[in-house]
């Protein structure tokens, strides 16, 4: 189930939002998320976001004090989307079949979007970490949550004796997440899924090479 | 030895550049490369680039018809820098020691820059591939050249019987490049080299697990 961010429930000044207010806020965040992914954070202007979301300036500033607040809401939104997607897949991981199903899910999603757009979190990271400290901290937390899901999946495999008991699960999860990020960026640039498939297949086969039960 | 791009030898209108002209052009490209890496392509304005490079508007437009031409020169410059760096390391690869030395070189470079800035080519790719078709094509070529160096290194290992003769070298090179990209992005965001080290170590250990001679 999607986690609801507390931040989404109040306007600037701390007033609680009505259901209609929440829907408007959500529409602004979803529009900003899409535009920032499509053209980049800097090129997605407040004017464009207002126009596409169909809200006026005072409405937008009712929910977000400035563009930075909107950027943080976008990071929150994209993190929830990615985490919800990967949680469904990673919660089912009990062995290599589950890990391969997770890999297939990522490749299928990329193929469905014709390799356009890359990773919503990775794109924001590349765009923001050098210029926006709040964003960097938020994106560090996003990657940590994602890595946590991977760690849980690998932990289950370790508990079942499918991965060696002395494997550093945290490091293995971080390496898998890096493989996802690099595969998505190369595949986005090349406009084919081969790079993503190659790096994920090798990362999973590496874990398979460690398996005591193979 | 660094490759000289032909593009660097003429001004807008096709006139050949004098040595002084080449130096001015080079200073503009290096300044633009640094600013675009530090703040992003869109935030690095022509005004900022002129000011930091110490040139006026007519000088800049003498060498570059528009910002797009400058962006393509930046891609060219960053590609040469990365390729020259990796060529030195990858030309020496004859076995796993050489591959590990290449991995150490990448980690050392990242550590020296305190994990700031990420990969010059990866950052440009994430920034430009959705909005600039010329840039996407140039970045596809950049990644291909880089992948070619990796392929040559792996090929040498294959010829020496250190990697299996039926290994798909192109796919393995692409997976290694994806590992570099993902490791650099995660390490840039986290501000530590652990992710880069983890994904490269696992990628190399995967190849080691295939080695007929182990």
């Amino acid at each position: 189930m999607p986690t609801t961010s507390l931040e989404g429930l109040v306007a600037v000044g701390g007033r609680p939002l009505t259901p209609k207010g929440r829907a408007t806020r959500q529409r602004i965040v979803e529009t900003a998320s899409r535009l920032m992914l499509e053209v980049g954070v800097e090129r997605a202007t407040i004017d464009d976001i207002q126009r596409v979301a169909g809200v006026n300036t005072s409405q937008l500033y009712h929910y977000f004090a400035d563009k930075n607040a909107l950027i943080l809401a976008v990071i929150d939104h994209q993190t929830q989307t990615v985490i919800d997607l990967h949680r469904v897949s990673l919660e089912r991981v009990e062995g290599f079949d589950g890990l391969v199903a997770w890999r297939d899910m990522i490749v299928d999603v990329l193929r469905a979007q014709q390799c356009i757009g890359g990773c919503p979190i990775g794109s924001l990271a590349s765009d923001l970490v050098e210029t926006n400290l709040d964003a960097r901290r938020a994106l560090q937390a996003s990657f940590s949550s994602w890595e946590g899901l991977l760690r849980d999946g690998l932990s289950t495999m370790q508990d079942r004796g499918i991965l060696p008991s002395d494997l550093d699960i945290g490091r293995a999860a971080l390496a898998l997440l890096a493989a996802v990020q690099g595969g998505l960026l190369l595949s986005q640039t090349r406009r084919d899924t081969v790079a993503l498939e190659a790096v994920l297949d090798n990362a999973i086969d590496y874990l398979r090479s460690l398996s005591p039960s193979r």
Side-chain angles (χ1 to χ4, degrees), chain A residues 76-139:
Chain A
D76 193 56
H77 172 71
Q78 296 287 41
T79 302
Q80 290 308 328
T81 306
V82 168
I83 292 294
D84 290 342
L85 181 69
H86 283 256
R87 180 181 288 124
V88 171
S89 185
L90 288 167
E91 273 179 354
R92 287 189 196 130
V93 169
E94 297 191 331
F96 282 104
D97 287 356
L99 217 47
V100 170
W102 166 74
R103 170 264 191 225
D104 289 346
M105 179 278 288
I106 306 173
V107 174
D108 287 347
V109 168
L110 186 70
R111 193 174 285 129
Q113 66 201 34
Q114 295 166 294
C115 298
I116 295 170
C119 172
I121 301 179
S123 298
L124 288 166
S126 184
D127 206 337
L128 290 165
V129 295
E130 300 307 339
T131 51
N132 186 324
L133 185 59
D134 292 336
R136 187 166 85 220
R137 288 189 182 132
L139 288 160

Side-chain angles (χ1 to χ4, degrees), chain A:
Chain A
M1 217 180 100
T3 318
T4 306
S5 166
L6 266 181
E7 189 193 5
L9 305 178
V10 294
V12 173
R15 287 182 305 274
L17 297 187
T18 61
K20 197 180 157 204
R22 282 192 216 178
T24 305
R25 184 188 184 282
Q26 182 67 10
R27 194 167 76 246
I28 296 169
V29 172
E30 285 174 4
T31 303
S33 298
R34 186 161 54 76
L35 290 180
M36 288 179 185
L37 186 61
E38 283 172 3
V39 300
V41 173
E42 193 69 14
R43 292 181 199 92
T45 64
I46 291 284
D47 279 358
D48 288 340
I49 294 164
Q50 277 177 212
R51 193 172 38 76
V52 178
V55 297
N56 61 37
T57 306
S58 72
Q59 277 178 299
L60 192 138
Y61 286 105
H62 178 68
Y63 301 104
F64 304 99
D66 49 26
K67 188 166 176 184
N68 203 41
L70 183 52
I71 288 170
L72 294 176
V74 164
I75 294 173
D76 193 56
H77 172 71
Q78 296 287 41
T79 302
Q80 290 308 328
T81 306
V82 168
I83 292 294
D84 290 342
L85 181 69
H86 283 256
R87 180 181 288 124
V88 171
S89 185
L90 288 167
E91 273 179 354
R92 287 189 196 130
V93 169
E94 297 191 331
F96 282 104
D97 287 356
L99 217 47
V100 170
W102 166 74
R103 170 264 191 225
D104 289 346
M105 179 278 288
I106 306 173
V107 174
D108 287 347
V109 168
L110 186 70
R111 193 174 285 129
Q113 66 201 34
Q114 295 166 294
C115 298
I116 295 170
C119 172
I121 301 179
S123 298
L124 288 166
S126 184
D127 206 337
L128 290 165
V129 295
E130 300 307 339
T131 51
N132 186 324
L133 185 59
D134 292 336
R136 187 166 85 220
R137 288 189 182 132
L139 288 160
Q140 286 171 344
S142 301
F143 281 135
S144 283
S145 306
W146 195 348
E147 187 199 325
L149 292 181
L150 279 160
R151 215 167 35 226
D152 290 347
L154 296 179
S155 244
T156 304
M157 290 171 68
Q158 195 174 44
D159 292 345
R160 292 166 52 97
I162 297 166
L163 288 174
S165 58
D166 62 351
L167 178 69
D168 182 339
I169 291 292
R171 204 167 190 271
L174 197 55
L176 272 181
L177 183 55
V180 173
Q181 288 300 317
L184 285 173
L185 177 61
L186 272 193
S187 285
Q188 178 188 12
T189 306
R190 294 164 44 99
R191 295 298 199 232
D192 69 52
T193 58
V194 179
L196 179 66
E197 293 180 53
V199 72
L200 287 181
D201 286 346
N202 289 8
I204 292 172
D205 283 347
Y206 167 68
L207 294 174
R208 231 188 271 270
S209 78
L210 304 176
S211 179
S213 56
R214 78 171 168 154

